[in-house]
Structure formats: C-alpha cells, structure tokens
Amino acid sequence: MYLQEIEVEVGRGELDDWLVNSRVYLGALTRQPGGVWFRILRSLDDANRFISLRAWVDKDASERAWRSPELGWASAQAKAIDFYGRNAVARREHEVLDFTWGPRGAGVFPGEGRVVHHVTGGVGTGKYAAWRPYSRLLFAVMARQPGVASFEIMRPAEDPEGFLVLRSFMGAGDERGAPGGGQTPLEVKYALDAVEKYRLYEGAAAAVSRRFAVHDMVWGAAGAGAVQSFMESLKPM
C-alpha cells in the first residue's frame, strides 16, 4: 500500500473554512477506485495543526484519482483559498510496510475518540535488516493488547532507513500500555529487549513522538478488504 501525508498549520481565522473544505475532500476521496482509507488527525497540543493521511492500494491508484473530475473540482476549491499552499508544513510519501488491527478488529478503526501516536525516526546505519523482524515481532505483540485500535509502519520515500509509526489507541487512557508507557505489559517489554540486544537505534537521531486525535475518517472504495489482503500478503521473516 501507498500513503500520502500532508501536514498543515491552519491560520487562526481560517479554521472553520478549512474544516468544511476537508469534508469536501473526504467526500470526493471515498469514491475513488483504489482508495483504502482517508484520515485527518488533529494535534492534541495545537488545535490548528492537522495531518491528512491518504492510503491507496498503490501509487498508480492515487495518481489516477487525482486526475478525476471530482478531485479536480475539490482541489480547485482548495487552491482558490490556498489551503494546501501557504498552510502546508510538510508533504511526504510512504510505502506501507506493516499493519495490524488491535483485538477489536477493523470495526473500531474510524471511531471517534481514538488517540494516535505519530512517531518518526530512523534506525542506526546498517541496522534496517535487523530492525524489520523486530518491528514485526513488536506489532504481533501489540495486536493482542487491550485498548489498541491499530498499529502501522511506513517507510518514507526520501529516507530508506527511516520510519513512520502510527499507534492508534481506543482512548487516552489506553496509551499507558504503549512501548515506554507507564503500564507497559511484560510481553511488550520482552519484545523491546531486541532494541538493546542489537543496538538497533545506535547512531540514529532520537525518534519524535506526537499525539493526535482522529478528527475525521472515511473508508475508500477498496476499504478494509484491501487492508486485510495486504496483511495476508506479508510473509514471515
């Protein structure tokens, strides 16, 4: 799967208009062939900062969608007021490497009240091959934890040794069970032991973790079935 990420800082007097425009975008996106899901995250530290995440079955599906009349119209409206020009903080592309639902499955994924940890970082030089099986083990453990909605790993197009991790929790109280949280379960701690044993992050810049709420989300035309097919395509390492 392929992921587009756009981070925006909305001007103080533009918030209401931007929120309306974002719903127009979501309405157009959900109808496009090859769309998987589309989420808008809102920072819990800055109410005017948002991240738009757009997942597609592949990059070709995304490029076809952006040539469609519907998205052309929605884009024209946004460009008329320059929402994604002067307000865009960052634009990134990612390859989706791994994905797992939490114990409650796909049905809770778009729910209101979800808290998401947006974690960016990288592994130590030459450590990526060792990091991947560790990350798969950690995800397998996290999929069993109560309060987890989903865990996802992406690889940034511009940084082959970097990562974006999205940890989605049912609510704020469930974050304590995250890796490094105040109530990290013993089985999660055991999975984390590989970090020290293999020094996976040695020499890498410290990861940056930010907290967001799920502001809005729609499934795309490919929907949860595309996520399930992706998970089934993953091979043991």
mmCIF file of all heavy atoms in Angstrom, residues 196-236:
data_model
loop_
_atom_site.group_PDB
_atom_site.id
_atom_site.type_symbol
_atom_site.label_atom_id
_atom_site.label_comp_id
_atom_site.label_asym_id
_atom_site.label_seq_id
_atom_site.Cartn_x
_atom_site.Cartn_y
_atom_site.Cartn_z
ATOM 1 N N GLU A 196 17.913 -3.187 22.635
ATOM 2 C CA GLU A 196 19.199 -3.101 23.323
ATOM 3 C C GLU A 196 20.154 -4.184 22.858
ATOM 4 O O GLU A 196 21.352 -3.936 22.660
ATOM 5 C CB GLU A 196 18.985 -3.191 24.834
ATOM 6 C CG GLU A 196 18.216 -2.016 25.420
ATOM 7 C CD GLU A 196 18.942 -0.695 25.195
ATOM 8 O OE1 GLU A 196 20.191 -0.676 25.238
ATOM 9 O OE2 GLU A 196 18.251 0.310 24.964
ATOM 10 N N LYS A 197 19.624 -5.381 22.666
ATOM 11 C CA LYS A 197 20.492 -6.505 22.292
ATOM 12 C C LYS A 197 21.206 -6.247 20.975
ATOM 13 O O LYS A 197 22.410 -6.522 20.828
ATOM 14 C CB LYS A 197 19.665 -7.780 22.190
ATOM 15 C CG LYS A 197 20.492 -9.014 21.825
ATOM 16 C CD LYS A 197 19.635 -10.273 21.798
ATOM 17 C CE LYS A 197 20.466 -11.499 21.448
ATOM 18 N NZ LYS A 197 19.638 -12.741 21.433
ATOM 19 N N TYR A 198 20.483 -5.718 20.003
ATOM 20 C CA TYR A 198 21.060 -5.492 18.672
ATOM 21 C C TYR A 198 21.392 -4.025 18.409
ATOM 22 O O TYR A 198 21.814 -3.688 17.310
ATOM 23 C CB TYR A 198 20.092 -6.005 17.599
ATOM 24 C CG TYR A 198 19.857 -7.494 17.699
ATOM 25 C CD1 TYR A 198 18.661 -7.987 18.218
ATOM 26 C CD2 TYR A 198 20.831 -8.404 17.303
ATOM 27 C CE1 TYR A 198 18.444 -9.350 18.335
ATOM 28 C CE2 TYR A 198 20.619 -9.766 17.422
ATOM 29 C CZ TYR A 198 19.417 -10.234 17.933
ATOM 30 O OH TYR A 198 19.204 -11.593 18.056
ATOM 31 N N ARG A 199 21.191 -3.162 19.420
ATOM 32 C CA ARG A 199 21.525 -1.741 19.318
ATOM 33 C C ARG A 199 20.935 -1.130 18.037
ATOM 34 O O ARG A 199 21.624 -0.468 17.257
ATOM 35 C CB ARG A 199 23.037 -1.539 19.364
ATOM 36 C CG ARG A 199 23.658 -2.060 20.656
ATOM 37 C CD ARG A 199 25.140 -1.817 20.724
ATOM 38 N NE ARG A 199 25.699 -2.273 21.981
ATOM 39 C CZ ARG A 199 26.987 -2.146 22.314
ATOM 40 N NH1 ARG A 199 27.842 -1.570 21.475
ATOM 41 N NH2 ARG A 199 27.420 -2.589 23.480
ATOM 42 N N LEU A 200 19.647 -1.362 17.853
ATOM 43 C CA LEU A 200 19.002 -1.039 16.585
ATOM 44 C C LEU A 200 18.982 0.455 16.279
ATOM 45 O O LEU A 200 18.958 0.852 15.111
ATOM 46 C CB LEU A 200 17.567 -1.581 16.586
ATOM 47 C CG LEU A 200 17.461 -3.107 16.668
ATOM 48 C CD1 LEU A 200 16.002 -3.529 16.736
ATOM 49 C CD2 LEU A 200 18.150 -3.767 15.480
ATOM 50 N N TYR A 201 18.967 1.289 17.310
ATOM 51 C CA TYR A 201 18.886 2.731 17.086
ATOM 52 C C TYR A 201 20.205 3.439 17.352
ATOM 53 O O TYR A 201 20.253 4.675 17.354
ATOM 54 C CB TYR A 201 17.777 3.328 17.950
ATOM 55 C CG TYR A 201 16.416 2.738 17.644
ATOM 56 C CD1 TYR A 201 15.707 2.030 18.608
ATOM 57 C CD2 TYR A 201 15.848 2.878 16.383
ATOM 58 C CE1 TYR A 201 14.467 1.485 18.323
ATOM 59 C CE2 TYR A 201 14.612 2.339 16.086
ATOM 60 C CZ TYR A 201 13.926 1.638 17.064
ATOM 61 O OH TYR A 201 12.698 1.095 16.772
ATOM 62 N N GLU A 202 21.251 2.695 17.553
ATOM 63 C CA GLU A 202 22.550 3.296 17.842
ATOM 64 C C GLU A 202 23.018 4.155 16.670
ATOM 65 O O GLU A 202 23.086 3.697 15.532
ATOM 66 C CB GLU A 202 23.586 2.209 18.126
ATOM 67 C CG GLU A 202 24.915 2.726 18.635
ATOM 68 C CD GLU A 202 25.854 1.595 19.018
ATOM 69 O OE1 GLU A 202 26.467 0.997 18.121
ATOM 70 O OE2 GLU A 202 25.933 1.283 20.227
ATOM 71 N N GLY A 203 23.315 5.415 16.933
ATOM 72 C CA GLY A 203 23.777 6.331 15.897
ATOM 73 C C GLY A 203 22.668 7.076 15.176
ATOM 74 O O GLY A 203 22.949 7.996 14.393
ATOM 75 N N ALA A 204 21.418 6.695 15.410
ATOM 76 C CA ALA A 204 20.291 7.376 14.749
ATOM 77 C C ALA A 204 19.815 8.544 15.603
ATOM 78 O O ALA A 204 19.978 8.554 16.829
ATOM 79 C CB ALA A 204 19.149 6.396 14.528
ATOM 80 N N ALA A 205 19.225 9.529 14.960
ATOM 81 C CA ALA A 205 18.626 10.640 15.700
ATOM 82 C C ALA A 205 17.450 10.118 16.524
ATOM 83 O O ALA A 205 16.797 9.134 16.152
ATOM 84 C CB ALA A 205 18.153 11.722 14.735
ATOM 85 N N ALA A 206 17.203 10.768 17.644
ATOM 86 C CA ALA A 206 16.108 10.337 18.519
ATOM 87 C C ALA A 206 14.777 10.442 17.790
ATOM 88 O O ALA A 206 14.529 11.395 17.033
ATOM 89 C CB ALA A 206 16.081 11.196 19.779
ATOM 90 N N ALA A 207 13.912 9.452 18.003
ATOM 91 C CA ALA A 207 12.577 9.470 17.396
ATOM 92 C C ALA A 207 11.752 10.606 17.992
ATOM 93 O O ALA A 207 11.948 11.016 19.142
ATOM 94 C CB ALA A 207 11.887 8.129 17.616
ATOM 95 N N VAL A 208 10.816 11.119 17.208
ATOM 96 C CA VAL A 208 9.922 12.200 17.632
ATOM 97 C C VAL A 208 8.503 11.643 17.670
ATOM 98 O O VAL A 208 7.998 11.144 16.661
ATOM 99 C CB VAL A 208 9.992 13.398 16.677
ATOM 100 C CG1 VAL A 208 8.999 14.476 17.099
ATOM 101 C CG2 VAL A 208 11.412 13.967 16.634
ATOM 102 N N SER A 209 7.880 11.717 18.835
ATOM 103 C CA SER A 209 6.518 11.201 19.001
ATOM 104 C C SER A 209 5.580 12.360 19.329
ATOM 105 O O SER A 209 5.847 13.147 20.242
ATOM 106 C CB SER A 209 6.459 10.156 20.121
ATOM 107 O OG SER A 209 5.151 9.659 20.283
ATOM 108 N N ARG A 210 4.487 12.462 18.566
ATOM 109 C CA ARG A 210 3.483 13.499 18.796
ATOM 110 C C ARG A 210 2.111 12.851 18.940
ATOM 111 O O ARG A 210 1.838 11.808 18.351
ATOM 112 C CB ARG A 210 3.475 14.501 17.641
ATOM 113 C CG ARG A 210 4.772 15.288 17.511
ATOM 114 C CD ARG A 210 4.682 16.302 16.383
ATOM 115 N NE ARG A 210 4.651 15.674 15.070
ATOM 116 C CZ ARG A 210 4.287 16.300 13.954
ATOM 117 N NH1 ARG A 210 3.896 17.568 13.992
ATOM 118 N NH2 ARG A 210 4.286 15.672 12.796
ATOM 119 N N ARG A 211 1.242 13.491 19.713
ATOM 120 C CA ARG A 211 -0.076 12.950 19.998
ATOM 121 C C ARG A 211 -1.144 13.686 19.198
ATOM 122 O O ARG A 211 -1.184 14.913 19.177
ATOM 123 C CB ARG A 211 -0.391 13.050 21.500
ATOM 124 C CG ARG A 211 0.524 12.238 22.372
ATOM 125 C CD ARG A 211 0.269 12.489 23.851
ATOM 126 N NE ARG A 211 -1.042 11.992 24.276
ATOM 127 C CZ ARG A 211 -2.045 12.769 24.668
ATOM 128 N NH1 ARG A 211 -1.922 14.091 24.673
ATOM 129 N NH2 ARG A 211 -3.199 12.242 25.053
ATOM 130 N N PHE A 212 -2.005 12.894 18.567
ATOM 131 C CA PHE A 212 -3.099 13.434 17.768
ATOM 132 C C PHE A 212 -4.391 12.717 18.128
ATOM 133 O O PHE A 212 -4.378 11.602 18.648
ATOM 134 C CB PHE A 212 -2.830 13.229 16.266
ATOM 135 C CG PHE A 212 -1.737 14.096 15.705
ATOM 136 C CD1 PHE A 212 -0.405 13.737 15.863
ATOM 137 C CD2 PHE A 212 -2.040 15.260 15.028
ATOM 138 C CE1 PHE A 212 0.612 14.526 15.348
ATOM 139 C CE2 PHE A 212 -1.033 16.061 14.507
ATOM 140 C CZ PHE A 212 0.292 15.694 14.660
ATOM 141 N N ALA A 213 -5.500 13.366 17.831
ATOM 142 C CA ALA A 213 -6.812 12.714 17.880
ATOM 143 C C ALA A 213 -7.281 12.494 16.449
ATOM 144 O O ALA A 213 -6.917 13.239 15.543
ATOM 145 C CB ALA A 213 -7.815 13.601 18.623
ATOM 146 N N VAL A 214 -8.073 11.439 16.247
ATOM 147 C CA VAL A 214 -8.686 11.238 14.933
ATOM 148 C C VAL A 214 -9.822 12.252 14.796
ATOM 149 O O VAL A 214 -10.838 12.146 15.480
ATOM 150 C CB VAL A 214 -9.215 9.802 14.771
ATOM 151 C CG1 VAL A 214 -9.941 9.652 13.440
ATOM 152 C CG2 VAL A 214 -8.073 8.795 14.863
ATOM 153 N N HIS A 215 -9.623 13.230 13.928
ATOM 154 C CA HIS A 215 -10.637 14.267 13.728
ATOM 155 C C HIS A 215 -11.748 13.777 12.808
ATOM 156 O O HIS A 215 -12.936 14.036 13.041
ATOM 157 C CB HIS A 215 -9.983 15.519 13.151
ATOM 158 C CG HIS A 215 -10.962 16.572 12.739
ATOM 159 N ND1 HIS A 215 -11.652 17.334 13.661
ATOM 160 C CD2 HIS A 215 -11.407 16.969 11.512
ATOM 161 C CE1 HIS A 215 -12.453 18.159 13.023
ATOM 162 N NE2 HIS A 215 -12.336 17.949 11.728
ATOM 163 N N ASP A 216 -11.366 13.059 11.741
ATOM 164 C CA ASP A 216 -12.356 12.566 10.789
ATOM 165 C C ASP A 216 -11.726 11.432 9.998
ATOM 166 O O ASP A 216 -10.498 11.346 9.873
ATOM 167 C CB ASP A 216 -12.793 13.686 9.832
ATOM 168 C CG ASP A 216 -14.185 13.456 9.244
ATOM 169 O OD1 ASP A 216 -14.713 12.333 9.391
ATOM 170 O OD2 ASP A 216 -14.737 14.402 8.650
ATOM 171 N N MET A 217 -12.569 10.550 9.466
ATOM 172 C CA MET A 217 -12.074 9.440 8.651
ATOM 173 C C MET A 217 -13.196 8.880 7.811
ATOM 174 O O MET A 217 -14.351 8.846 8.237
ATOM 175 C CB MET A 217 -11.501 8.323 9.517
ATOM 176 C CG MET A 217 -11.111 7.100 8.687
ATOM 177 S SD MET A 217 -10.422 5.752 9.599
ATOM 178 C CE MET A 217 -10.616 4.456 8.347
ATOM 179 N N VAL A 218 -12.843 8.461 6.595
ATOM 180 C CA VAL A 218 -13.764 7.702 5.747
ATOM 181 C C VAL A 218 -12.996 6.531 5.150
ATOM 182 O O VAL A 218 -11.780 6.602 4.938
ATOM 183 C CB VAL A 218 -14.368 8.564 4.616
ATOM 184 C CG1 VAL A 218 -15.259 9.659 5.184
ATOM 185 C CG2 VAL A 218 -13.274 9.158 3.730
ATOM 186 N N TRP A 219 -13.713 5.454 4.894
ATOM 187 C CA TRP A 219 -13.140 4.352 4.133
ATOM 188 C C TRP A 219 -13.170 4.706 2.659
ATOM 189 O O TRP A 219 -14.086 5.378 2.180
ATOM 190 C CB TRP A 219 -13.942 3.067 4.355
ATOM 191 C CG TRP A 219 -13.731 2.439 5.687
ATOM 192 C CD1 TRP A 219 -14.600 2.415 6.734
ATOM 193 C CD2 TRP A 219 -12.564 1.732 6.129
ATOM 194 N NE1 TRP A 219 -14.058 1.750 7.801
ATOM 195 C CE2 TRP A 219 -12.807 1.317 7.458
ATOM 196 C CE3 TRP A 219 -11.345 1.418 5.530
ATOM 197 C CZ2 TRP A 219 -11.871 0.597 8.200
ATOM 198 C CZ3 TRP A 219 -10.408 0.701 6.267
ATOM 199 C CH2 TRP A 219 -10.675 0.299 7.581
ATOM 200 N N GLY A 220 -12.188 4.221 1.925
ATOM 201 C CA GLY A 220 -12.186 4.369 0.483
ATOM 202 C C GLY A 220 -12.938 3.232 -0.181
ATOM 203 O O GLY A 220 -13.477 2.331 0.480
ATOM 204 N N ALA A 221 -12.975 3.255 -1.510
ATOM 205 C CA ALA A 221 -13.710 2.244 -2.261
ATOM 206 C C ALA A 221 -13.140 0.849 -2.045
ATOM 207 O O ALA A 221 -13.873 -0.144 -2.037
ATOM 208 C CB ALA A 221 -13.692 2.604 -3.754
ATOM 209 N N ALA A 222 -11.815 0.737 -1.858
ATOM 210 C CA ALA A 222 -11.196 -0.569 -1.616
ATOM 211 C C ALA A 222 -11.425 -1.032 -0.179
ATOM 212 O O ALA A 222 -11.518 -2.231 0.088
ATOM 213 C CB ALA A 222 -9.706 -0.512 -1.943
ATOM 214 N N GLY A 223 -11.462 -0.092 0.760
ATOM 215 C CA GLY A 223 -11.877 -0.358 2.128
ATOM 216 C C GLY A 223 -11.029 -1.326 2.924
ATOM 217 O O GLY A 223 -9.872 -1.614 2.599
ATOM 218 N N ALA A 224 -11.651 -1.843 3.998
ATOM 219 C CA ALA A 224 -10.946 -2.725 4.926
ATOM 220 C C ALA A 224 -10.484 -4.005 4.253
ATOM 221 O O ALA A 224 -9.504 -4.626 4.688
ATOM 222 C CB ALA A 224 -11.848 -3.055 6.111
ATOM 223 N N GLY A 225 -11.156 -4.414 3.187
ATOM 224 C CA GLY A 225 -10.733 -5.608 2.469
ATOM 225 C C GLY A 225 -9.334 -5.468 1.902
ATOM 226 O O GLY A 225 -8.577 -6.449 1.859
ATOM 227 N N ALA A 226 -8.966 -4.260 1.470
ATOM 228 C CA ALA A 226 -7.623 -4.030 0.944
ATOM 229 C C ALA A 226 -6.585 -4.152 2.052
ATOM 230 O O ALA A 226 -5.476 -4.660 1.827
ATOM 231 C CB ALA A 226 -7.540 -2.656 0.286
ATOM 232 N N VAL A 227 -6.940 -3.690 3.248
ATOM 233 C CA VAL A 227 -6.022 -3.830 4.386
ATOM 234 C C VAL A 227 -5.838 -5.302 4.725
ATOM 235 O O VAL A 227 -4.719 -5.778 4.964
ATOM 236 C CB VAL A 227 -6.544 -3.057 5.611
ATOM 237 C CG1 VAL A 227 -5.591 -3.221 6.790
ATOM 238 C CG2 VAL A 227 -6.719 -1.586 5.292
ATOM 239 N N GLN A 228 -6.939 -6.051 4.749
ATOM 240 C CA GLN A 228 -6.855 -7.481 5.049
ATOM 241 C C GLN A 228 -5.999 -8.207 4.013
ATOM 242 O O GLN A 228 -5.145 -9.038 4.366
ATOM 243 C CB GLN A 228 -8.257 -8.088 5.089
ATOM 244 C CG GLN A 228 -8.296 -9.544 5.531
ATOM 245 C CD GLN A 228 -7.835 -9.731 6.972
ATOM 246 O OE1 GLN A 228 -8.075 -8.864 7.810
ATOM 247 N NE2 GLN A 228 -7.172 -10.848 7.242
ATOM 248 N N SER A 229 -6.199 -7.896 2.747
ATOM 249 C CA SER A 229 -5.392 -8.523 1.691
ATOM 250 C C SER A 229 -3.915 -8.181 1.857
ATOM 251 O O SER A 229 -3.037 -9.037 1.649
ATOM 252 C CB SER A 229 -5.878 -8.068 0.311
ATOM 253 O OG SER A 229 -7.190 -8.517 0.064
ATOM 254 N N PHE A 230 -3.637 -6.925 2.234
ATOM 255 C CA PHE A 230 -2.254 -6.522 2.459
ATOM 256 C C PHE A 230 -1.641 -7.328 3.608
ATOM 257 O O PHE A 230 -0.522 -7.844 3.485
ATOM 258 C CB PHE A 230 -2.190 -5.025 2.766
ATOM 259 C CG PHE A 230 -0.842 -4.560 3.244
ATOM 260 C CD1 PHE A 230 0.198 -4.371 2.355
ATOM 261 C CD2 PHE A 230 -0.615 -4.318 4.594
ATOM 262 C CE1 PHE A 230 1.444 -3.956 2.787
ATOM 263 C CE2 PHE A 230 0.629 -3.895 5.037
ATOM 264 C CZ PHE A 230 1.653 -3.721 4.141
ATOM 265 N N MET A 231 -2.358 -7.459 4.715
ATOM 266 C CA MET A 231 -1.828 -8.212 5.856
ATOM 267 C C MET A 231 -1.593 -9.665 5.488
ATOM 268 O O MET A 231 -0.585 -10.270 5.885
ATOM 269 C CB MET A 231 -2.778 -8.090 7.050
ATOM 270 C CG MET A 231 -2.816 -6.700 7.671
ATOM 271 S SD MET A 231 -3.656 -6.622 9.267
ATOM 272 C CE MET A 231 -5.356 -6.909 8.770
ATOM 273 N N GLU A 232 -2.488 -10.252 4.706
ATOM 274 C CA GLU A 232 -2.335 -11.649 4.303
ATOM 275 C C GLU A 232 -1.167 -11.844 3.346
ATOM 276 O O GLU A 232 -0.635 -12.949 3.239
ATOM 277 C CB GLU A 232 -3.629 -12.149 3.673
ATOM 278 C CG GLU A 232 -4.785 -12.258 4.672
ATOM 279 C CD GLU A 232 -6.092 -12.644 4.009
ATOM 280 O OE1 GLU A 232 -6.094 -12.857 2.776
ATOM 281 O OE2 GLU A 232 -7.106 -12.709 4.724
ATOM 282 N N SER A 233 -0.763 -10.770 2.659
ATOM 283 C CA SER A 233 0.354 -10.876 1.702
ATOM 284 C C SER A 233 1.714 -10.837 2.389
ATOM 285 O O SER A 233 2.722 -11.186 1.764
ATOM 286 C CB SER A 233 0.273 -9.735 0.682
ATOM 287 O OG SER A 233 0.663 -8.489 1.263
ATOM 288 N N LEU A 234 1.761 -10.418 3.634
ATOM 289 C CA LEU A 234 3.035 -10.314 4.342
ATOM 290 C C LEU A 234 3.576 -11.710 4.669
ATOM 291 O O LEU A 234 2.847 -12.582 5.125
ATOM 292 C CB LEU A 234 2.871 -9.496 5.627
ATOM 293 C CG LEU A 234 2.406 -8.049 5.426
ATOM 294 C CD1 LEU A 234 2.129 -7.391 6.773
ATOM 295 C CD2 LEU A 234 3.460 -7.255 4.663
ATOM 296 N N LYS A 235 4.859 -11.907 4.437
ATOM 297 C CA LYS A 235 5.494 -13.204 4.657
ATOM 298 C C LYS A 235 6.346 -13.174 5.927
ATOM 299 O O LYS A 235 6.891 -12.125 6.286
ATOM 300 C CB LYS A 235 6.374 -13.575 3.466
ATOM 301 C CG LYS A 235 5.658 -13.540 2.119
ATOM 302 C CD LYS A 235 4.495 -14.517 2.086
ATOM 303 C CE LYS A 235 3.824 -14.487 0.702
ATOM 304 N NZ LYS A 235 2.622 -15.359 0.676
ATOM 305 N N PRO A 236 6.483 -14.330 6.594
ATOM 306 C CA PRO A 236 7.372 -14.378 7.773
ATOM 307 C C PRO A 236 8.797 -13.992 7.395
ATOM 308 O O PRO A 236 9.241 -14.203 6.255
ATOM 309 C CB PRO A 236 7.282 -15.844 8.212
ATOM 310 C CG PRO A 236 6.015 -16.359 7.625
ATOM 311 C CD PRO A 236 5.826 -15.620 6.326
#
